[in-house]
Amino acid sequence: MRFLPVPGRTMPADGGGLVLVLNAGSSSLKFAGFAAMPEGPEPRFGGQVEGIGAAPHLVARNAAGEVLADHRWDGGDAPANHAEALGVIVRGLDQALQGEAILAIGHRVVHGGTDFAAPLRIDDAAMAALDRLVPLAPLHQPHNLVGIRAAAAHFPGVPQVACFDTAFHRTQSWAAETYALPPRFYDQGIRRYGFHGLSYEYISRRIAAEDAALGAGRLVVAHLGNGASLCAIEGGRSRASTMGFTALDGIPMGTRSGQIDPGVVLHMIDALGMTTAEVTRLLYNGSGLKGLSGVSQDVRQIEAAGTEAAGRALEHFAFRVRREIGAMAASIGGIDALVFTAGIGENAHGLRARICAGLEFLGITLDPARNAANAAEISAAGAAVRVLVRRTDEEGMIARHTLDLLRAG
């Protein structure tokens, strides 16, 4: 597996090197390289291996969008797990970068618990602490840590930095974080953490850079992808999120149930005789859009199916997102802009229309033509609330945090 050379050295003569970013999901491994420029990280290349464990497909592009590699496996040499996928990526990049130095490696780590509210340099003690958080994010945390260990083995001595999806939400109040349980449980760390924080941080910063007044205002951001949640942001700070103790809470997702009455779980165990492992697999891997539709977690495939179950899956998803938009707006006393991001949010115009239908009372009205074109602003002319579509960049956010921490020593 070979990558084409990454064209065009953009390194300054008085320094240089790359920050490598790894973002391990449940069945994918995204990667990106950023030049360590004085003004901040500059994208050089990026890509992902998706379908790990099933039908792996690697795509890599340079910053101009030109394809460096595009490969599908159909034989026994396919990467079977994240460590093997990283090996493929690293070998390809070793050839493509022609000896360019890797200064540091930044990793997305889903759960930081109560101890980690900012990016940190990874050492043995940090890894031990992150291992203890695996039960709180079983679908993601193990893959994040595999990526860290695999990178450490291939790049010995290169600084590695963990950037946490939970960190952005540590500005929430006690009332927003706590569950209605005796205080000892909160003290033990059983609280609402929120996730997708790197995406929300990027969107918040981007909106503020585009429009300072809007960035200082009240945003409801809908990160809608295979994993999905919403966040209420006021003045650039997280005030509420639909996700809680784990990344299972909130709105329905690709394969995750989202919010469910705890009594249903007790009923499954006590009355239906399901084991905790069976319930875990159901709620994490067999529910959400996939479970409801009986087709797929991919909205494009669900829309194309045209079955009654597929239609109901989309109807339920839109209803739950619409309901949570209202809840997020209530948590910050109103809404100045609704921002859609991530794979569904950026591309599924039909589902965006379903979600926004009925939100006129909040001042949300779409322009159908602009929405169908996936325009950057899809609200109707004169609407009280701006509705925006923005591409998120978790990898860019990780690169910035990693470079900042590296330069701070």
Side-chain angles (χ1 to χ4, degrees):
M1 180 70 245
R2 293 180 61 87
F3 285 32
L4 297 173
V6 178
R9 290 185 58 86
T10 57
M11 299 294 105
D14 59 350
L18 293 172
V19 173
L20 179 64
V21 171
L22 298 176
N23 182 347
S26 55
S27 62
S28 66
L29 180 59
K30 296 179 182 178
F31 60 94
F34 295 81
M37 304 298 282
E39 63 274 17
E42 179 181 284
R44 289 283 301 281
F45 60 84
Q48 68 174 337
V49 180
E50 60 182 357
I52 296 172
H57 178 206
L58 178 146
V59 176
R61 292 182 171 85
N62 64 17
E66 298 166 333
V67 175
L68 303 175
D70 189 337
H71 184 72
R72 294 181 185 273
W73 286 266
D74 55 9
D77 62 339
N81 52 49
H82 287 70
E84 292 182 9
L86 180 61
V88 171
I89 293 167
V90 166
R91 288 191 295 273
L93 290 179
D94 277 350
Q95 299 161 353
L97 295 174
Q98 302 172 336
E100 191 105 69
I102 303 294
L103 301 178
I105 305 170
H107 299 265
R108 174 188 177 227
V109 177
V110 166
H111 216 302
T114 59
D115 294 330
F116 303 122
L120 86 157
R121 173 84 175 265
I122 300 170
D123 57 19
D124 290 342
M127 283 298 292
L130 296 178
D131 271 324
R132 292 193 290 271
L133 295 174
V134 164
L136 305 187
L139 199 65
H140 295 88
Q141 196 92 344
H143 303 306
N144 301 155
L145 302 187
V146 164
I148 293 171
R149 291 188 171 100
H154 192 85
F155 300 103
V158 174
Q160 299 199 71
V161 173
C163 300
F164 301 100
D165 254 348
T166 51
F168 181 68
H169 301 295
R170 299 287 61 79
T171 55
Q172 293 183 13
S173 68
W174 173 87
E177 279 194 337
T178 195
Y179 291 103
L181 297 170
R184 68 179 182 275
F185 292 100
Y186 181 88
D187 295 339
Q188 292 168 11
I190 298 177
R191 60 186 73 174
R192 300 181 63 86
Y193 289 99
F195 297 90
H196 296 130
L198 291 162
S199 176
Y200 292 128
E201 183 180 10
Y202 172 80
I203 293 295
S204 177
R205 289 191 182 196
R206 179 171 175 179
I207 297 300
E210 294 172 357
D211 185 330
L214 186 61
R218 301 163 300 181
L219 306 177
V220 173
V221 182
H223 177 106
L224 307 181
N226 191 48
S229 67
L230 289 90
C231 182
I233 301 174
E234 183 180 27
R237 294 174 175 267
S238 173
R239 298 305 186 196
S241 173
T242 57
M243 282 185 166
F245 181 62
T246 70
L248 187 62
D249 198 9
I251 60 175
M253 292 164 250
T255 65
R256 284 172 264 172
S257 65
Q259 182 185 20
I260 189 169
D261 182 344
V264 173
V265 177
L266 298 177
H267 178 79
M268 288 175 173
I269 294 171
D270 293 339
L272 302 183
M274 296 176 69
T275 66
T276 54
E278 289 172 335
V279 173
T280 298
R281 283 194 297 272
L282 171 66
L283 298 184
Y284 275 98
N285 303 110
S287 300
L289 286 169
K290 181 180 180 181
L292 282 170
S293 70
V295 176
S296 169
Q297 64 262 47
D298 190 316
V299 168
R300 293 165 296 187
Q301 295 180 19
I302 297 172
E303 289 177 334
T307 64
E308 182 179 3
R312 286 184 170 182
L314 297 174
E315 179 184 6
H316 177 70
F317 182 85
F319 171 81
R320 288 304 312 276
V321 175
R322 184 165 57 247
R323 192 178 84 167
E324 293 304 325
I325 290 171
M328 292 297 103
S331 71
I332 50 177
I335 177 172
D336 298 311
L338 170 63
V339 187
F340 286 100
T341 192
I344 296 172
E346 294 166 21
N347 300 295
H349 60 86
L351 201 43
R352 286 197 304 260
R354 282 179 182 251
I355 290 168
C356 292
L359 289 178
E360 292 82 5
F361 76 100
L362 280 178
I364 294 172
T365 307
L366 297 190
D367 180 311
R370 294 180 64 80
N371 180 49
N374 292 324
E377 183 156 354
I378 60 175
S379 44
V385 173
R386 296 177 67 185
V387 182
L388 310 175
V389 177
R390 293 292 184 272
R391 183 178 180 182
T392 193
D393 187 5
E394 293 167 304
E395 288 77 28
M397 201 72 252
I398 294 168
R400 182 165 294 279
H401 282 310
T402 300
L403 190 55
D404 287 347
L405 196 61
L406 189 68
R407 286 174 172 168

